């Protein structure tokens, strides 16, 4: 659960990062920094029970795919079939890590 929440926090900070204008705008920058910190904290909690390599890969995958979905739905980014296929491969990798992780 910590890992999923950490990934969601990563989506939040990645989504607001362009609005920080290079961290020159106060409120978007504070929002971004808060979610970066929270994401790292939750990731560190997740590594108590999940191997760090697996936790990091899943965290990055959740953030990458979630941010891509945000970009497609909200920002009108490219929806090409090949791009979506590549993101599906990331999801497959995350699922594979879950299946192959020691219980």
């Amino acid at each position: 659960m910590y890992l999923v929440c950490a990934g969601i926090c990563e989506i939040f900070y990645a989504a607001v990062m362009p609005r920080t204008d290079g961290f020159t705008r106060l409120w978007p920058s504070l929002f971004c920094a808060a979610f970066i910190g929270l994401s790292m904290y939750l990731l560190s909690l997740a590594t108590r029970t999940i191997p760090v390599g697996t936790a990091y890969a899943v965290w990055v995958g959740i953030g990458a795919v979630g941010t891509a979905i945000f970009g497609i739905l909200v920002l009108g980014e490219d929806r090409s079939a090949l791009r979506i296929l590549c993101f599906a491969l990331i999801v497959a990798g995350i699922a594979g890590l879950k299946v192959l992780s020691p219980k």
Side-chain angles (χ1 to χ4, degrees), residues 3-83:
L3 190 54
V4 171
C5 291
I8 292 169
C9 288
E10 186 180 7
I11 296 165
F12 280 26
Y13 80 72
V16 79
M17 198 172 288
R19 294 181 181 190
T20 68
D21 225 9
F23 291 101
T24 60
R25 296 182 59 219
L26 179 63
W27 294 111
S29 297
L30 290 175
F31 181 90
C32 188
F35 277 95
I36 288 171
L38 183 57
S39 183
M40 292 290 162
Y41 174 69
L42 292 168
L43 177 62
S44 73
L45 293 178
T47 60
R48 290 178 176 172
T49 57
I50 300 171
V52 70
T54 300
Y56 187 77
V58 171
W59 175 72
V60 168
I62 292 170
V65 172
T67 303
I69 291 169
F70 174 82
I72 289 168
L73 296 178
V74 177
L75 304 176
E77 293 180 357
D78 179 29
R79 302 171 185 239
S80 70
L82 284 177
R83 186 168 191 247

Side-chain angles (χ1 to χ4, degrees), residues 89-103:
L89 291 171
I90 293 171
V91 171
I94 292 169
L97 287 171
K98 174 65 177 155
V99 168
L100 297 173
S101 289
K103 307 277 183 226

